[in-house]
Amino acid sequence: MEWKINKSTRGCILCERKFCDEEEYYSALFDDGNGFIRKDYCVACWKSDEERIFSFWKTKIPKKDKPVQKIINVEMFYDMFMKLQDQNETYQKNLRYVLALFLMRKRMFKLKSLKKQDEKEFMVLYCIKDDREHRVFNPELREDEIESITSEMKQLLDLPYAENNFVSNR
């Protein structure tokens, strides 16, 4: 899977100003049809109403002498999962599957059952957050493919310190 991945530039894409220690800024993902592109914006340049934004979050530059926290915003991943619900591109289906595994690991989803329809396997997951079921197609990814997607997600979302076992299909 080839995504156009760019880490945080630690500066605004519009005004090109570099962010300072502990400065808040917005990061947004854009789906260009072939993958996701990340762009960062200072608070002054941020406009969240742009139609092409797939997902966004507010974050801040850590203080240089302060240890980096390993906090992962589960709600952001759930939002991404929901936005991928009716998408048909292979990379989108694979990403949705990996997000489902992550959300199971974070106990937002519970595996209710495994089913087959038209020779394709899918998981039926119960979501504690919205008290409903979600069907997730199983693309039958190998462990190394899941690790690759996980690594790309870490880079895409600039999560270099995220736990090593971000997701697992076991």
Side-chain angles (χ1 to χ4, degrees):
M1 175 173 299
E2 292 290 324
W3 288 347
K4 293 180 182 176
I5 299 174
N6 56 320
K7 290 176 138 181
S8 174
T9 59
R10 303 292 195 243
C12 180
I13 189 98
L14 295 178
C15 70
E16 299 179 353
R17 185 180 59 77
K18 291 291 181 191
F19 301 138
C20 303
D21 283 359
E22 298 190 318
E23 180 178 354
E24 292 185 333
Y25 66 98
Y26 288 90
S27 292
L29 295 181
F30 295 85
D31 186 348
D32 73 353
N34 295 316
F36 295 103
I37 298 172
R38 176 189 172 140
K39 296 180 182 178
D40 298 320
Y41 301 86
C42 68
V43 173
C45 292
W46 171 246
K47 293 180 184 174
S48 65
D49 58 350
E50 189 170 333
E51 293 178 18
R52 298 179 328 134
I53 293 177
F54 176 77
S55 184
F56 71 91
W57 61 97
K58 188 176 187 181
T59 189
K60 76 175 172 178
I61 299 290
K63 194 172 182 178
K64 286 183 181 159
D65 61 348
K66 186 178 178 183
V68 178
Q69 295 180 347
K70 297 180 183 181
I71 297 173
I72 296 177
N73 185 342
V74 177
E75 295 294 324
M76 178 188 64
F77 287 98
Y78 178 73
D79 181 58
M80 290 174 64
F81 172 85
M82 292 302 294
K83 288 180 179 179
L84 290 166
Q85 186 168 359
D86 296 320
Q87 302 301 314
N88 293 316
E89 295 293 326
T90 301
Y91 79 93
Q92 293 169 327
K93 287 181 179 182
N94 292 349
L95 176 57
R96 188 167 192 263
Y97 176 74
V98 171
L99 286 169
L101 295 177
F102 172 74
L103 292 168
M104 286 172 57
R105 182 164 186 197
K106 293 299 179 183
R107 294 189 161 93
M108 184 176 276
F109 286 168
K110 291 184 180 184
L111 178 63
K112 188 170 178 182
S113 63
L114 294 173
K115 296 190 177 187
K116 272 197 170 184
Q117 181 178 344
D118 300 326
E119 301 298 317
K120 295 181 181 179
E121 184 180 87
F122 62 91
M123 300 182 294
V124 178
L125 302 173
Y126 171 74
C127 179
I128 295 165
K129 174 183 170 56
D130 61 9
D131 190 33
R132 58 185 253 211
E133 292 181 358
H134 299 280
R135 292 172 46 134
V136 178
F137 166 72
N138 180 355
E140 299 181 17
L141 298 172
R142 296 182 319 269
E143 188 71 31
D144 63 315
E145 291 173 308
I146 291 173
E147 288 175 15
S148 174
I149 293 169
T150 299
S151 176
E152 291 170 357
M153 285 178 60
K154 286 180 188 179
Q155 290 177 345
L156 182 67
L157 301 173
D158 198 22
L159 299 171
Y161 303 103
E163 55 204 70
N164 289 336
N165 297 319
F166 187 66
V167 296
S168 173
N169 68 350
R170 293 183 205 160

